Amino acid sequence: MSSVDVHSKLPHIGTNIFTTMSGLAAQYNAVNLAQGFPDFDVPSYLIERVSHHMLTGKNQYAPMAGILSLREKLATKYASVYGIPFDPVEEITITCGATEACFSAITALIKAGDEVIIIEPAFDCYEPAIVLNGGKPVFVKTTYPDFKINWDEVEAAITSRTRLLILNSPHNPTGTLFTKEDVTALRELLQRHDILVLSDEVYEHMVFDGAHHYCLAADPIIREKTLTIGSFGKTYHATGWRLGFCAAPAHLMKEFRKVHQFNTFSAVTPIQHAVSDMLDDSDWHHNLSSFFQSKRNYFLNLIKHSGFKAVATQGTYFQLLSYAAVSDKKETDMAEWMVKEMKLAAIPVSVFYQDKTDQQILRFCFAKKDETLQQAAEILCKI
Ligand SMILES: Cc1ncc(COP(=O)(O)O)c(C=O)c1O
């Protein structure tokens, strides 16, 4: 029997590291600080609101761009938190998570042969979307160990084919934040070059030690060329609900929606209504940073006498730890050994680099119950 050849469009892409490590964590009954999701509950109010909206008939297709009340409340939040005017009708679309927003944005903007600059280390969803659209990812590394963007190198990577620059702050996996200097450098770059920006800000409400999250679109020059992407899943401890958004000037949003409507058409209706209700509570996002800062401090305090050394985290719910003092293993080997032998799952940072740069650091997610962090810390202290 002959079988039809499948010409893989992503031949070098396998199951991603998060799925692999979560699978290994389950198989070896390990404490899972690998994948970025909380092991504590979604706020009970949100559960109650989803149930309410399901029981009262909000179960059919939502409007393609998302329910208007959610877009309006998001626009109000952008105005009050960052001073950014977004028109809820023409400039905001609700998506199936930030992942769908990234995919729809890249698909809407990238044609075959276009180049897209990705700053490494980088979250894994950007590159496949570029490749699927016939684009070429161009990688520019941050400095080590402070993971700063080298703007001269970014500018040197721009060619006549460069269409898009992908940025992420607060940054996964390093926890670094855009600085005021980054914003100035980006503004000047955009004045010199005709390129667009995808700004992935899914951890916008998780910044520590009094640091400030610079939403790039707050700068009027940057705003005109930028698609801002966010995730309600991250903000409301509900990554499984797959709700995110994209906000952008109307001419960019028009193209974004052409893809979004044939990609997923719309996001889950009762969840949009519930999140819209939740947005009335502005304390939630104001308090999120201190909530996660306490988690980070709790975890770091428990491991302060271990051989693992923290590489500063100013945001997100990830902590990088260097294990150079306890082992000379490669990151992937160390992560595999830890999950199988020590029953603790973490993510090797080398997977966030195309060339698998190895710095002997692992990423740990501290969005976990205190007892989970305690179990993880006990293991780390034994290594
Ligand atoms: C930097 C970054 N962008 C986007 C996403 C995807 O977010 P969502 O779960 O809303 O699709 C994640 C999830 O881990 C992330 O870390």
Side-chain angles (χ1 to χ4, degrees), residues 36 96-100 102 123 125-126 168 170 172 200 202-203 230-234 239 242-244 318:
C96 298
T99 307
E100 190 255 311
C102 290
F123 184 60
C125 82
Y126 316 129
N168 167 219
N172 177 12
D200 177 343
V202 299
Y203 301 102
S231 171
F232 296 113
K234 297 290 181 189
T239 57
R242 313 306 303 124
L243 203 68
F318 301 113

PDB file of all heavy atoms in Angstrom, residues 36 96-100 102 123 125-126 168 170 172 200 202-203 230-234 239 242-244 318, ligand 1:
ATOM      1  N   GLY A  36       5.235  26.936  32.438  1.00  0.00           N
ATOM      2  CA  GLY A  36       4.787  28.167  33.090  1.00  0.00           C
ATOM      3  C   GLY A  36       3.296  28.218  33.336  1.00  0.00           C
ATOM      4  O   GLY A  36       2.567  28.852  32.581  1.00  0.00           O
ATOM      5  N   CYS A  96      -7.545  33.587  21.099  1.00  0.00           N
ATOM      6  CA  CYS A  96      -7.440  32.330  21.868  1.00  0.00           C
ATOM      7  C   CYS A  96      -6.031  32.251  22.459  1.00  0.00           C
ATOM      8  O   CYS A  96      -5.165  31.517  21.958  1.00  0.00           O
ATOM      9  CB  CYS A  96      -7.721  31.136  20.975  1.00  0.00           C
ATOM     10  SG  CYS A  96      -9.367  31.171  20.321  1.00  0.00           S
ATOM     11  N   GLY A  97      -5.787  33.011  23.468  1.00  0.00           N
ATOM     12  CA  GLY A  97      -4.465  33.061  24.091  1.00  0.00           C
ATOM     13  C   GLY A  97      -3.539  33.982  23.317  1.00  0.00           C
ATOM     14  O   GLY A  97      -3.818  34.378  22.172  1.00  0.00           O
ATOM     15  N   ALA A  98      -2.414  34.312  23.969  1.00  0.00           N
ATOM     16  CA  ALA A  98      -1.404  35.128  23.290  1.00  0.00           C
ATOM     17  C   ALA A  98      -0.769  34.331  22.157  1.00  0.00           C
ATOM     18  O   ALA A  98      -0.296  34.911  21.175  1.00  0.00           O
ATOM     19  CB  ALA A  98      -0.337  35.566  24.296  1.00  0.00           C
ATOM     20  N   THR A  99      -0.774  33.021  22.275  1.00  0.00           N
ATOM     21  CA  THR A  99      -0.177  32.185  21.218  1.00  0.00           C
ATOM     22  C   THR A  99      -0.896  32.421  19.894  1.00  0.00           C
ATOM     23  O   THR A  99      -0.264  32.604  18.852  1.00  0.00           O
ATOM     24  CB  THR A  99      -0.263  30.689  21.611  1.00  0.00           C
ATOM     25  OG1 THR A  99       0.306  30.535  22.906  1.00  0.00           O
ATOM     26  CG2 THR A  99       0.476  29.821  20.626  1.00  0.00           C
ATOM     27  N   GLU A 100      -2.221  32.418  19.945  1.00  0.00           N
ATOM     28  CA  GLU A 100      -2.970  32.678  18.703  1.00  0.00           C
ATOM     29  C   GLU A 100      -2.724  34.113  18.224  1.00  0.00           C
ATOM     30  O   GLU A 100      -2.595  34.357  17.024  1.00  0.00           O
ATOM     31  CB  GLU A 100      -4.472  32.443  18.917  1.00  0.00           C
ATOM     32  CG  GLU A 100      -5.280  32.444  17.627  1.00  0.00           C
ATOM     33  CD  GLU A 100      -6.124  33.688  17.372  1.00  0.00           C
ATOM     34  OE1 GLU A 100      -6.867  34.132  18.267  1.00  0.00           O
ATOM     35  OE2 GLU A 100      -6.044  34.232  16.254  1.00  0.00           O
ATOM     36  N   CYS A 102      -0.016  35.878  18.568  1.00  0.00           N
ATOM     37  CA  CYS A 102       1.303  35.934  17.906  1.00  0.00           C
ATOM     38  C   CYS A 102       1.204  35.316  16.516  1.00  0.00           C
ATOM     39  O   CYS A 102       1.708  35.874  15.534  1.00  0.00           O
ATOM     40  CB  CYS A 102       2.358  35.178  18.719  1.00  0.00           C
ATOM     41  SG  CYS A 102       2.791  35.987  20.267  1.00  0.00           S
ATOM     42  N   PHE A 123      11.039  33.014  23.564  1.00  0.00           N
ATOM     43  CA  PHE A 123       9.917  32.084  23.701  1.00  0.00           C
ATOM     44  C   PHE A 123       9.729  31.374  22.363  1.00  0.00           C
ATOM     45  O   PHE A 123      10.035  31.928  21.303  1.00  0.00           O
ATOM     46  CB  PHE A 123       8.666  32.878  24.112  1.00  0.00           C
ATOM     47  CG  PHE A 123       7.471  32.017  24.383  1.00  0.00           C
ATOM     48  CD1 PHE A 123       7.504  31.052  25.372  1.00  0.00           C
ATOM     49  CD2 PHE A 123       6.304  32.167  23.644  1.00  0.00           C
ATOM     50  CE1 PHE A 123       6.400  30.248  25.625  1.00  0.00           C
ATOM     51  CE2 PHE A 123       5.194  31.375  23.895  1.00  0.00           C
ATOM     52  CZ  PHE A 123       5.245  30.416  24.881  1.00  0.00           C
ATOM     53  N   CYS A 125       7.211  30.302  20.398  1.00  0.00           N
ATOM     54  CA  CYS A 125       6.098  30.297  19.430  1.00  0.00           C
ATOM     55  C   CYS A 125       6.328  31.223  18.231  1.00  0.00           C
ATOM     56  O   CYS A 125       5.581  31.168  17.265  1.00  0.00           O
ATOM     57  CB  CYS A 125       4.769  30.605  20.113  1.00  0.00           C
ATOM     58  SG  CYS A 125       4.428  32.347  20.393  1.00  0.00           S
ATOM     59  N   TYR A 126       7.358  32.064  18.283  1.00  0.00           N
ATOM     60  CA  TYR A 126       7.511  33.026  17.184  1.00  0.00           C
ATOM     61  C   TYR A 126       8.099  32.379  15.924  1.00  0.00           C
ATOM     62  O   TYR A 126       7.591  32.568  14.820  1.00  0.00           O
ATOM     63  CB  TYR A 126       8.425  34.195  17.585  1.00  0.00           C
ATOM     64  CG  TYR A 126       8.194  34.775  18.965  1.00  0.00           C
ATOM     65  CD1 TYR A 126       9.251  34.939  19.861  1.00  0.00           C
ATOM     66  CD2 TYR A 126       6.926  35.178  19.378  1.00  0.00           C
ATOM     67  CE1 TYR A 126       9.063  35.474  21.129  1.00  0.00           C
ATOM     68  CE2 TYR A 126       6.733  35.712  20.644  1.00  0.00           C
ATOM     69  CZ  TYR A 126       7.802  35.851  21.521  1.00  0.00           C
ATOM     70  OH  TYR A 126       7.609  36.381  22.763  1.00  0.00           O
ATOM     71  N   ASN A 168       9.887  41.107  23.737  1.00  0.00           N
ATOM     72  CA  ASN A 168       9.130  40.497  24.833  1.00  0.00           C
ATOM     73  C   ASN A 168       9.637  41.054  26.168  1.00  0.00           C
ATOM     74  O   ASN A 168      10.807  40.920  26.480  1.00  0.00           O
ATOM     75  CB  ASN A 168       9.304  38.965  24.744  1.00  0.00           C
ATOM     76  CG  ASN A 168       8.832  38.223  25.982  1.00  0.00           C
ATOM     77  OD1 ASN A 168       9.464  37.252  26.398  1.00  0.00           O
ATOM     78  ND2 ASN A 168       7.738  38.639  26.563  1.00  0.00           N
ATOM     79  N   PRO A 170       7.781  41.883  30.303  1.00  0.00           N
ATOM     80  CA  PRO A 170       8.769  41.119  31.030  1.00  0.00           C
ATOM     81  C   PRO A 170       9.104  39.833  30.272  1.00  0.00           C
ATOM     82  O   PRO A 170       8.226  39.211  29.701  1.00  0.00           O
ATOM     83  CB  PRO A 170       8.102  40.844  32.376  1.00  0.00           C
ATOM     84  CG  PRO A 170       7.126  41.990  32.537  1.00  0.00           C
ATOM     85  CD  PRO A 170       6.644  42.287  31.162  1.00  0.00           C
ATOM     86  N   ASN A 172      10.375  36.191  29.075  1.00  0.00           N
ATOM     87  CA  ASN A 172      10.478  34.754  29.305  1.00  0.00           C
ATOM     88  C   ASN A 172      11.581  34.235  28.389  1.00  0.00           C
ATOM     89  O   ASN A 172      11.484  34.421  27.182  1.00  0.00           O
ATOM     90  CB  ASN A 172       9.138  34.086  28.943  1.00  0.00           C
ATOM     91  CG  ASN A 172       9.184  32.585  29.074  1.00  0.00           C
ATOM     92  OD1 ASN A 172      10.116  32.025  29.633  1.00  0.00           O
ATOM     93  ND2 ASN A 172       8.164  31.925  28.549  1.00  0.00           N
ATOM     94  N   ASP A 200       5.363  41.413  22.835  1.00  0.00           N
ATOM     95  CA  ASP A 200       4.720  40.369  23.637  1.00  0.00           C
ATOM     96  C   ASP A 200       4.868  40.759  25.104  1.00  0.00           C
ATOM     97  O   ASP A 200       5.963  40.716  25.666  1.00  0.00           O
ATOM     98  CB  ASP A 200       5.413  39.037  23.321  1.00  0.00           C
ATOM     99  CG  ASP A 200       4.881  37.879  24.140  1.00  0.00           C
ATOM    100  OD1 ASP A 200       4.223  38.116  25.165  1.00  0.00           O
ATOM    101  OD2 ASP A 200       5.154  36.730  23.751  1.00  0.00           O
ATOM    102  N   VAL A 202       2.909  39.546  27.818  1.00  0.00           N
ATOM    103  CA  VAL A 202       1.955  38.712  28.570  1.00  0.00           C
ATOM    104  C   VAL A 202       2.176  38.760  30.080  1.00  0.00           C
ATOM    105  O   VAL A 202       1.258  38.475  30.841  1.00  0.00           O
ATOM    106  CB  VAL A 202       1.925  37.234  28.081  1.00  0.00           C
ATOM    107  CG1 VAL A 202       1.512  37.135  26.632  1.00  0.00           C
ATOM    108  CG2 VAL A 202       3.234  36.522  28.322  1.00  0.00           C
ATOM    109  N   TYR A 203       3.403  39.114  30.512  1.00  0.00           N
ATOM    110  CA  TYR A 203       3.664  39.172  31.972  1.00  0.00           C
ATOM    111  C   TYR A 203       3.645  40.613  32.484  1.00  0.00           C
ATOM    112  O   TYR A 203       4.298  40.940  33.481  1.00  0.00           O
ATOM    113  CB  TYR A 203       5.013  38.516  32.288  1.00  0.00           C
ATOM    114  CG  TYR A 203       5.071  37.066  31.844  1.00  0.00           C
ATOM    115  CD1 TYR A 203       5.736  36.691  30.680  1.00  0.00           C
ATOM    116  CD2 TYR A 203       4.426  36.070  32.574  1.00  0.00           C
ATOM    117  CE1 TYR A 203       5.767  35.368  30.246  1.00  0.00           C
ATOM    118  CE2 TYR A 203       4.455  34.741  32.155  1.00  0.00           C
ATOM    119  CZ  TYR A 203       5.118  34.401  30.995  1.00  0.00           C
ATOM    120  OH  TYR A 203       5.140  33.088  30.575  1.00  0.00           O
ATOM    121  N   GLY A 230      -1.198  40.469  24.752  1.00  0.00           N
ATOM    122  CA  GLY A 230      -1.326  40.167  26.178  1.00  0.00           C
ATOM    123  C   GLY A 230      -2.086  38.869  26.392  1.00  0.00           C
ATOM    124  O   GLY A 230      -2.629  38.280  25.447  1.00  0.00           O
ATOM    125  N   SER A 231      -2.114  38.415  27.653  1.00  0.00           N
ATOM    126  CA  SER A 231      -2.734  37.123  27.964  1.00  0.00           C
ATOM    127  C   SER A 231      -3.539  37.214  29.248  1.00  0.00           C
ATOM    128  O   SER A 231      -2.976  37.448  30.324  1.00  0.00           O
ATOM    129  CB  SER A 231      -1.642  36.064  28.123  1.00  0.00           C
ATOM    130  OG  SER A 231      -2.190  34.862  28.625  1.00  0.00           O
ATOM    131  N   PHE A 232      -4.850  37.034  29.147  1.00  0.00           N
ATOM    132  CA  PHE A 232      -5.663  36.960  30.374  1.00  0.00           C
ATOM    133  C   PHE A 232      -5.341  35.681  31.136  1.00  0.00           C
ATOM    134  O   PHE A 232      -5.497  35.618  32.348  1.00  0.00           O
ATOM    135  CB  PHE A 232      -7.149  36.992  30.025  1.00  0.00           C
ATOM    136  CG  PHE A 232      -7.593  38.271  29.373  1.00  0.00           C
ATOM    137  CD1 PHE A 232      -8.024  38.291  28.054  1.00  0.00           C
ATOM    138  CD2 PHE A 232      -7.570  39.468  30.077  1.00  0.00           C
ATOM    139  CE1 PHE A 232      -8.435  39.463  27.453  1.00  0.00           C
ATOM    140  CE2 PHE A 232      -7.973  40.661  29.482  1.00  0.00           C
ATOM    141  CZ  PHE A 232      -8.409  40.651  28.156  1.00  0.00           C
ATOM    142  N   GLY A 233      -4.911  34.660  30.406  1.00  0.00           N
ATOM    143  CA  GLY A 233      -4.532  33.395  31.052  1.00  0.00           C
ATOM    144  C   GLY A 233      -3.434  33.612  32.074  1.00  0.00           C
ATOM    145  O   GLY A 233      -3.468  33.056  33.175  1.00  0.00           O
ATOM    146  N   LYS A 234      -2.441  34.442  31.715  1.00  0.00           N
ATOM    147  CA  LYS A 234      -1.340  34.712  32.644  1.00  0.00           C
ATOM    148  C   LYS A 234      -1.833  35.584  33.802  1.00  0.00           C
ATOM    149  O   LYS A 234      -1.515  35.342  34.958  1.00  0.00           O
ATOM    150  CB  LYS A 234      -0.200  35.445  31.916  1.00  0.00           C
ATOM    151  CG  LYS A 234       0.443  34.623  30.803  1.00  0.00           C
ATOM    152  CD  LYS A 234       1.242  33.458  31.326  1.00  0.00           C
ATOM    153  CE  LYS A 234       1.882  32.681  30.190  1.00  0.00           C
ATOM    154  NZ  LYS A 234       2.499  31.431  30.600  1.00  0.00           N
ATOM    155  N   THR A 239      -4.296  29.715  32.560  1.00  0.00           N
ATOM    156  CA  THR A 239      -3.665  29.518  31.237  1.00  0.00           C
ATOM    157  C   THR A 239      -4.460  28.550  30.366  1.00  0.00           C
ATOM    158  O   THR A 239      -4.398  28.624  29.148  1.00  0.00           O
ATOM    159  CB  THR A 239      -2.220  28.994  31.402  1.00  0.00           C
ATOM    160  OG1 THR A 239      -2.251  27.775  32.163  1.00  0.00           O
ATOM    161  CG2 THR A 239      -1.331  30.007  32.114  1.00  0.00           C
ATOM    162  N   ARG A 242      -7.260  29.812  27.636  1.00  0.00           N
ATOM    163  CA  ARG A 242      -6.824  30.253  26.317  1.00  0.00           C
ATOM    164  C   ARG A 242      -7.465  31.592  25.922  1.00  0.00           C
ATOM    165  O   ARG A 242      -8.144  31.682  24.888  1.00  0.00           O
ATOM    166  CB  ARG A 242      -7.116  29.174  25.236  1.00  0.00           C
ATOM    167  CG  ARG A 242      -6.716  27.757  25.589  1.00  0.00           C
ATOM    168  CD  ARG A 242      -5.248  27.614  26.000  1.00  0.00           C
ATOM    169  NE  ARG A 242      -4.323  28.076  24.991  1.00  0.00           N
ATOM    170  CZ  ARG A 242      -3.392  29.019  25.228  1.00  0.00           C
ATOM    171  NH1 ARG A 242      -3.255  29.573  26.412  1.00  0.00           N
ATOM    172  NH2 ARG A 242      -2.589  29.383  24.278  1.00  0.00           N
ATOM    173  N   LEU A 243      -7.245  32.597  26.712  1.00  0.00           N
ATOM    174  CA  LEU A 243      -7.785  33.902  26.345  1.00  0.00           C
ATOM    175  C   LEU A 243      -6.675  34.960  26.367  1.00  0.00           C
ATOM    176  O   LEU A 243      -5.971  35.112  27.365  1.00  0.00           O
ATOM    177  CB  LEU A 243      -8.921  34.316  27.308  1.00  0.00           C
ATOM    178  CG  LEU A 243      -9.888  35.339  26.704  1.00  0.00           C
ATOM    179  CD1 LEU A 243     -10.694  34.736  25.572  1.00  0.00           C
ATOM    180  CD2 LEU A 243     -10.834  35.890  27.760  1.00  0.00           C
ATOM    181  N   GLY A 244      -6.527  35.641  25.252  1.00  0.00           N
ATOM    182  CA  GLY A 244      -5.525  36.699  25.138  1.00  0.00           C
ATOM    183  C   GLY A 244      -6.067  37.809  24.258  1.00  0.00           C
ATOM    184  O   GLY A 244      -7.272  37.861  23.977  1.00  0.00           O
ATOM    185  N   PHE A 318       9.195  33.441  36.432  1.00  0.00           N
ATOM    186  CA  PHE A 318      10.291  32.504  36.225  1.00  0.00           C
ATOM    187  C   PHE A 318      11.548  32.997  36.934  1.00  0.00           C
ATOM    188  O   PHE A 318      11.822  34.197  36.958  1.00  0.00           O
ATOM    189  CB  PHE A 318      10.613  32.362  34.735  1.00  0.00           C
ATOM    190  CG  PHE A 318       9.438  31.889  33.935  1.00  0.00           C
ATOM    191  CD1 PHE A 318       8.842  32.724  33.002  1.00  0.00           C
ATOM    192  CD2 PHE A 318       8.912  30.620  34.134  1.00  0.00           C
ATOM    193  CE1 PHE A 318       7.737  32.295  32.273  1.00  0.00           C
ATOM    194  CE2 PHE A 318       7.811  30.185  33.417  1.00  0.00           C
ATOM    195  CZ  PHE A 318       7.221  31.027  32.476  1.00  0.00           C
TER     196      PHE A 318
HETATM  197  C1  LIG B   1       6.462  35.183  26.428  1.00  0.00           C
HETATM  198  C2  LIG B   1       5.204  34.426  26.190  1.00  0.00           C
HETATM  199  N1  LIG B   1       4.415  34.791  25.174  1.00  0.00           N
HETATM  200  C3  LIG B   1       3.260  34.165  24.913  1.00  0.00           C
HETATM  201  C4  LIG B   1       2.850  33.100  25.684  1.00  0.00           C
HETATM  202  C5  LIG B   1       1.570  32.411  25.361  1.00  0.00           C
HETATM  203  O1  LIG B   1       0.530  32.825  26.213  1.00  0.00           O
HETATM  204  P1  LIG B   1      -0.904  32.159  26.161  1.00  0.00           P
HETATM  205  O2  LIG B   1      -0.906  31.055  27.163  1.00  0.00           O
HETATM  206  O3  LIG B   1      -1.871  33.242  26.492  1.00  0.00           O
HETATM  207  O4  LIG B   1      -1.101  31.644  24.778  1.00  0.00           O
HETATM  208  C6  LIG B   1       3.645  32.669  26.751  1.00  0.00           C
HETATM  209  C7  LIG B   1       3.249  31.504  27.562  1.00  0.00           C
HETATM  210  O5  LIG B   1       4.022  30.936  28.298  1.00  0.00           O
HETATM  211  C8  LIG B   1       4.851  33.348  27.004  1.00  0.00           C
HETATM  212  O6  LIG B   1       5.658  32.989  28.025  1.00  0.00           O
END
